[in-house]
Each structure stands twice: as structure tokens, then as C-alpha cells.
Amino acid sequence: MRLAIMQPYFFPYLGYFQLIDAVDQFVFYDDVNFIKNGWINRNRLAGANLWHYFTVPLAGASSNLLIREVRFAADDWRWRRKMFARMSTDYRKAPFREVGLELLERTLTQDTDRISELAKKSILSVMSCLGITREVANSGVRYDNRDLSGTDRVIDICRIEAAQSYINLPGGRELYDRGKFLEAGIDLRFVEPNLLLYPQGEAPFQPGLSVLDALMWCGPEGTKKLLRGYSLTS
């Protein structure tokens, strides 16, 4: 059984979904410390100036808080209307614009004030749209091992789930001790995303944007084809 663990990101790039596609079980790592200026509450979309961030404004976010503890102003609809309007305008020529707008609206109307829940909903909504069915777990609910950290904690989760392989994105090569995985009898592999070129209107192609960009230009079926553009390496 192949397993992956990642922090929940808000409408992440296609490589995140390639990681999910490559495994049997996916774990949202929501009880680790929040990372400022990361991808948990923001991502990138195309715009008049090539690309721009779209961001969920947070209330008192701190790296001393766990991801699942960080809140946003749930009663302030101004930023949501602004985000929706900007996307609606920037993608007015995209043939599948309504697909992305519907996913965004469905996510932004969730009854929660936790960024982790909003980010998870964005990911689960895209998985459903693309027909990706995987077992999903939350680290803060399923595992009682916050006394561990780094490689040791990941290996413990793999053991609990009886995973023979742990799959990560390329950035994990600098984070994990391969020797510990070998000692535990777990195969450590990495997804190598291949962010294939696709039409983005009249602008030059910008790789690595939010998956919403691919969905609005290529639609669910076209994005499924892009999803397969990855390989697994040691």
C-alpha cells in the first residue's frame, strides 16, 4: 500500500493532485505548525500581469499555532466576493470557466472558520471533479504521535497504516532520512511532476498555477490527461 502525507493547501497546483493520484491513502498533515507565506491559505492564478496570488486572509496566524488551529474571518464576505469577482473577470475567455467558479463558490460557502477545513474542502472538491477516489485521513484525528517529528513521525504513520511505500513530492528529498525508511522496511519514492503545457489563452504559458487554472482552460477531462503526466523515482 502506498501512502502520502501533506499539509492541506488551498486549491494547490496540479503536482499536489499527482501525488494523491500516485497513492492508495492520503493523509492531511493538519496538526503540524502553520507555515507563514506558504501555500496553506493561498495559491496563484493567471491575470493581466501573468499571474497573481489569491489569498484567504487569516486572523492572528502564527507559526506557533497548528494548522488546524488557524482561523480566518468567516463572517467577512468581502474578500470572498472580491476573490470570486477577480477570478470571474480574469477567466472570462476560458472555455470551462464555470467549472472553476463553481468549485470556488462551493468551497468558500463552507460553514467553517478554520483554514485547514477550507483547504481540505478545496482539495476534496477537486478530487471529486477529477474522479480521484482515495482513502483520506486527518493526522490530528487519527494518530496520537505528536511526540514524534520529522522522519520518525512519518514512519510511525506508515506503520500504523501498514504502508509499504511512502510517496512524497521532490522537496521531501531534503527532509527525510532515507536510511531510517530502509531500516523500517518502507520504500521511499518521489513523484516527479511533469507540468505539461496547455492553452492558457493569449498569455505565455505559466506552469505551476493552481489546479483551478487547468480546470478552467481544459475542463475536467483535459485536466485528467494532464494529471497523468508524472513519474515515480527513488
Side-chain angles (χ1 to χ4, degrees), residues 19-207:
L19 176 64
I20 297 174
D21 186 70
V23 301
D24 304 295
Q25 183 175 353
F26 185 77
V27 177
F28 285 122
Y29 217 13
D30 61 356
D31 62 341
V32 291
N33 290 83
F34 178 79
I35 302 171
K36 286 187 174 182
N37 300 319
W39 302 108
I40 294 167
N41 67 311
R42 67 175 185 171
N43 216 286
R44 302 184 306 147
L45 284 172
N49 297 316
L50 297 183
W51 63 263
H52 66 87
Y53 287 111
F54 63 107
T55 304
V56 178
L58 303 178
S62 166
S63 57
N64 295 320
L65 295 174
L66 303 180
I67 295 172
R68 66 180 183 178
E69 296 173 332
V70 176
R71 301 174 185 269
F72 61 92
D75 58 347
D76 184 356
W77 285 86
R78 289 172 296 181
W79 66 265
R80 303 187 217 208
R81 287 193 292 266
K82 183 177 179 181
M83 183 184 294
F84 189 89
R86 175 76 184 269
M87 191 179 301
S88 181
T89 299
D90 286 345
Y91 287 87
R92 62 190 179 279
K93 295 183 179 180
F96 300 94
R97 168 175 170 265
E98 295 305 318
V99 173
L101 293 178
E102 181 183 353
L103 287 173
L104 179 64
E105 183 177 29
R106 191 186 312 164
T107 299
L108 293 183
T109 54
Q110 291 301 298
D111 184 19
T112 182
D113 65 349
R114 307 276 179 157
I115 186 57
S116 62
E117 296 306 311
L118 201 68
K120 289 173 197 174
K121 179 60 181 178
S122 77
I123 294 163
L124 294 173
S125 294
V126 172
M127 288 173 62
S128 177
C129 181
L130 297 178
I132 304 173
T133 55
R134 298 290 184 272
E135 183 180 352
V136 176
N138 297 313
S139 63
V141 174
R142 192 150 175 164
Y143 315 108
D144 183 21
N145 59 3
R146 287 204 62 240
D147 56 314
L148 302 175
S149 61
T151 299
D152 293 331
R153 191 174 185 199
V154 168
I155 289 175
D156 189 59
I157 292 174
C158 288
R159 283 173 172 162
I160 292 170
E161 300 295 355
Q164 292 84 36
S165 297
Y166 177 66
I167 315 295
N168 201 254
L169 289 170
R173 284 194 173 92
E174 306 299 322
L175 300 176
Y176 297 120
D177 184 337
R178 182 176 293 275
K180 288 188 176 181
F181 281 91
L182 288 173
E183 290 175 7
I186 299 168
D187 183 27
L188 177 63
R189 305 285 296 279
F190 296 92
V191 165
E192 295 293 344
N194 183 6
L195 302 180
L196 301 173
L197 186 147
Y198 58 87
Q200 287 179 333
E202 299 174 358
F205 178 67
Q206 297 290 317

